[in-house]
Amino acid sequence: PVGAHPSGVLGEDPKGIPNNLMPYIAKVATGKREFLSVFGNDYPTRDGTGVRDYLHIMDLSRGHVSAIDKLEGEGFKGAEAFNLGTGTGISVLEMVDAFRAASQQPIPFKFEERRKGDVAECYADASKAARELGWRAQHSLHDMCGDLWRWVRHNPDGYTSDASKVLAKITADVT
């Protein structure tokens, strides 16, 4: 999952060098990392970079609540697997462009060799979740990037930021 709570109060705070694309892009946008390494630009995709299905954390949360609701319903027995996702792939360069637009910050990047084992495209088929749980992803790429940027802006040092200052910034933004 990617993004953050729309309030900017809750978000991902990886320590050290992030292993996932969105937190890494955020570190580049804030100047905490010099550039983003893009692994591979020769995949058979629309721009040559890897394509993945990114899901907003709030959509994932709603998916979990939908699954719990199903568990509490009548007639459910055993365990079932449900894929949650948008069903639409976003390339690395599309994510970079979207985050650049949301943050209005430069996102320098360098192409590197492909990583062993990476596939060109990977995205979910969430039709079972839609059919049986009534769940569909609702948040857009714009939402994912905007909410993550809000979190980063309000929490430049992650959860070590002073909570009272964070709440004051959020309140000032809302009013």
Side-chain angles (χ1 to χ4, degrees):
V2 298
H5 190 274
S7 68
V9 175
L10 299 171
E12 185 175 5
D13 184 18
K15 302 300 179 199
I17 300 172
N19 289 322
N20 296 318
L21 179 61
M22 286 281 288
Y24 205 106
I25 290 174
K27 296 277 187 190
V28 173
T30 60
K32 292 182 178 184
R33 307 287 318 164
E34 184 180 355
F35 61 89
L36 170 69
S37 292
V38 177
F39 297 102
N41 63 350
D42 61 348
Y43 287 103
T45 62
R46 54 190 166 267
D47 64 16
T49 64
V51 172
R52 301 291 180 269
D53 188 344
Y54 295 95
L55 181 65
H56 195 292
I57 188 65
M58 298 306 295
D59 286 328
L60 178 64
S61 300
R62 278 188 323 92
H64 288 172
V65 170
S66 295
I68 291 168
D69 289 346
K70 181 174 175 77
L71 283 171
E72 293 176 341
E74 290 185 33
F76 179 78
K77 292 183 176 42
E80 286 188 59
F82 292 89
N83 290 326
L84 300 179
T86 64
T88 303
I90 298 166
S91 77
V92 173
L93 293 183
E94 290 167 340
M95 184 64 81
V96 168
D97 288 343
F99 201 86
R100 185 182 298 126
S103 67
Q104 296 297 298
Q105 299 297 312
I107 313 290
F109 63 88
K110 293 182 182 177
F111 289 115
E112 306 284 347
E113 294 296 316
R114 288 184 186 190
R115 293 181 300 192
K116 186 175 181 169
D118 275 354
V119 297
E121 296 184 61
C122 183
Y123 42 91
D125 175 358
S127 59
K128 181 180 174 185
R131 187 175 57 254
E132 297 186 27
L133 302 177
W135 178 92
R136 282 186 170 73
Q138 296 176 348
H139 290 83
S140 67
L141 176 58
H142 175 79
D143 298 332
M144 294 175 209
C145 294
D147 291 343
L148 178 58
W149 183 242
R150 187 173 305 105
W151 154 254
V152 169
R153 225 179 51 241
H154 291 307
N155 303 278
D157 298 316
Y159 284 111
T160 60
S161 298
D162 182 352
S164 62
K165 290 179 185 175
V166 170
L167 290 174
K169 284 181 191 175
I170 292 168
T171 303
D173 282 356
V174 171
T175 56

